[in-house]
């Protein structure tokens, strides 16, 4: 979700009964390339919550995408592209 001109807020909630053994990232992109922010590893069961506001640096403020990747790196899920 876009918060302001260069900030993005990303929320993940674990509603399952087990720990989500994943890594959570935010990728900011723009004409200068892209930068990935490592937000958290693992979310505890039943309500484990991650909420983070990231300021994308100048030159990386066109779009952002949230990523959840298994710790083995074999599977990944992406949020819709966020225009910032």
């Amino acid at each position: 979700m876009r918060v302001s001109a260069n900030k993005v807020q990303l929320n993940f909630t674990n509603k399952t009964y087990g720990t989500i053994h994943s890594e959570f990232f935010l990728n900011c992109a723009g004409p200068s390339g892209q930068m990935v922010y490592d937000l958290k590893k693992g979310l505890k069961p039943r309500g484990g919550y991650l909420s983070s506001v990231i300021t994308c640096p100048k030159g990386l403020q066109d779009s952002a995408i949230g990523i959840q990747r298994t710790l083995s790196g074999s599977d990944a899920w992406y949020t819709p592209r966020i225009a910032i």
Side-chain angles (χ1 to χ4, degrees), residues 8 15 20 23 28 33 38 46 53 56 59 61 70 72-73 76 78 82 84:
V8 176
K15 296 180 180 178
I20 297 178
E23 298 175 299
C28 296
D38 189 351
R46 302 302 295 163
V53 175
C56 293
Q61 297 175 356
T70 57
S72 67
Y78 302 89
I82 303 162
I84 53 175

Side-chain angles (χ1 to χ4, degrees), residues 15-16 26 31-32 36 39 53-54 66 76 83:
K15 296 180 180 178
T16 71
L26 181 75
S32 296
V36 177
L39 302 177
V53 175
I54 300 291

Side-chain angles (χ1 to χ4, degrees), residues 3 12 15 19 48 50 52 56 58-59 61-62 64 68 70 80 83:
V3 176
F12 289 102
K15 296 180 180 178
T19 299
L50 165 63
S52 189
C56 293
K58 187 174 181 177
Q61 297 175 356
D62 283 359
Q68 175 186 345
T70 57

Side-chain angles (χ1 to χ4, degrees), residues 41-52:
K41 292 181 182 169
L43 286 181
K44 66 180 182 178
R46 302 302 295 163
Y49 184 67
L50 165 63
S51 180
S52 189

